[in-house]
């Protein structure tokens, strides 16, 4: 059987990207781009986008191309203590990072592409609500949720990189698998994190969001209690 040379090249580069991500997780974005590109343009990528649209709430969100108000950093800092927006911004301030602005989706192709873009831009809200840290076990928790609840092949691939990292750095292995278990428990709630219209509740207490999402009991057993203390 003749193999498309371009497919061979992209597949090889994706495999290298997976191993580079596992070895150097602090630079995940430059390493993982070939991996994400290869999967995003594959039949699996098409299937993942189609399956997102099978959920009525996600389908409605995509049909509307919903993007609500996105306050500035100063506006978020001025929100009540313990609110979603205040804690979201406080997390970025603590990490020395800048929150991304909402993207321009006017020229975006298709509802599935919109949902994947929204997933990328609300990823840090999910970090805040779930109180998962920005390290390999925390990212593994998020990847496990996305792979299971949202059936995203790119998340499954990146999750594999995190697992390989645990093989390479044994002292992180137990915490990594605890994070994966936590992400899979959250996935039992379905794709609700992506379906939320977070912009309508920046000023709401994060405790109210967690209650609404059914996260209170799960967070009581979080493997990341230190992060939860910072984001409550």
């Amino acid at each position: 059987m003749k193999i498309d040379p371009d497919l061979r090249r992209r597949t090889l580069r994706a495999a290298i990207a997976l191993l580079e991500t596992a070895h150097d997780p602090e630079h995940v974005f430059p390493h993982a781009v070939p991996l994400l590109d290869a999967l995003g343009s594959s039949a699996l990528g098409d299937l993942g986008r189609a399956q997102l649209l099978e959920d009525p709430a996600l389908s409605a969100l995509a049909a509307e191309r919903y993007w609500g108000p996105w306050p500035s950093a100063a506006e978020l800092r001025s929100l009540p203590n313990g609110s979603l927006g205040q804690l979201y911004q406080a997390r970025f301030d603590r990490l020395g990072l800048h929150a991304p602005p909402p993207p321009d989706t006017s020229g975006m192709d298709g509802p599935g592409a919109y949902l994947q873009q929204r997933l990328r831009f609300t990823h840090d809200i999910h970090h805040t609500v779930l109180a998962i840290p920005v390290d390999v076990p925390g990212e593994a928790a998020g990847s496990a949720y996305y792979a299971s609840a949202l059936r995203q092949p790119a998340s499954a691939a990146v999750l594999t990189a995190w697992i390989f990292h645990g093989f390479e750095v044994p002292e992180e292995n137990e915490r990594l698998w605890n994070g994966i278990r936590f992400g899979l428990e959250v996935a039992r709630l379905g794709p609700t994190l992506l379906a939320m219209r977070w912009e309508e509740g920046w000023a709401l207490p994060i405790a109210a969001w967690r209650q609404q999402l059914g996260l209170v009991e799960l967070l009581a057993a979080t493997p990341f209690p230190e992060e939860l203390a910072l984001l409550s």
Side-chain angles (χ1 to χ4, degrees):
M1 180 180 68
K2 185 177 180 180
I3 299 177
D4 179 358
D6 182 60
L7 176 61
R8 184 195 297 271
R9 179 188 60 79
R10 289 191 294 116
T11 302
L12 177 60
R13 188 66 193 93
I16 294 170
L18 188 151
L19 295 175
E20 287 177 335
T21 301
H23 180 68
D24 184 20
E26 292 187 6
H27 300 94
V28 57
F29 292 111
H31 291 323
V33 165
L35 177 63
L36 302 180
D37 285 348
L39 286 167
S41 59
S42 70
L44 275 177
D46 292 338
L47 181 61
R49 286 183 285 273
Q51 289 176 329
L52 287 178
L53 292 167
E54 292 175 3
D55 182 89
L58 295 181
S59 179
L61 205 68
E64 186 182 336
R65 294 293 199 279
Y66 173 77
W67 283 101
W70 207 275
S72 67
E75 290 169 330
L76 289 168
R77 291 186 190 103
S78 71
L79 292 175
N81 289 337
S83 65
L84 170 65
Q86 183 267 324
L87 289 170
Y88 172 77
Q89 182 59 46
R91 175 178 171 274
F92 280 104
D93 291 342
R94 172 166 52 90
L95 295 171
L97 301 173
H98 297 286
D104 177 9
T105 60
S106 57
M108 188 170 293
D109 294 331
Y114 156 81
L115 286 174
Q116 287 195 317
Q117 183 80 317
R118 184 162 177 85
L119 177 58
R120 285 193 290 271
F121 276 80
T122 57
H123 173 75
D124 287 293
I125 296 179
H126 304 164
H127 262 275
T128 305
V129 172
L130 295 176
I132 52 179
V134 187
D135 58 12
V136 169
E139 295 295 346
S143 295
Y145 170 76
Y146 295 149
S148 180
L150 303 180
R151 300 180 65 82
Q152 293 300 290
S155 298
V158 174
L159 178 58
T160 302
W162 301 145
I163 292 170
F164 285 175
H165 177 77
F167 294 165
E168 188 173 330
V169 186
E171 58 268 26
E172 289 195 7
N173 197 53
E174 181 178 359
R175 190 163 169 267
L176 181 144
W177 284 103
N178 287 339
I180 291 172
R181 293 185 189 97
F182 178 71
L184 293 176
E185 286 298 315
V186 176
R188 293 176 183 270
L189 304 177
T192 52
L193 291 184
L194 182 56
M196 290 294 100
R197 298 179 181 235
W198 303 106
E199 298 95 315
E200 297 175 9
W202 289 115
L204 286 177
I206 202 167
W209 275 110
R210 289 168 176 162
Q211 182 72 43
Q212 177 185 339
L213 290 162
L215 291 171
V216 174
E217 185 175 344
L218 284 173
L219 287 170
T222 178
F224 309 116
E226 299 86 357
E227 192 74 8
L228 181 61
L230 293 169
L231 294 171
S232 296

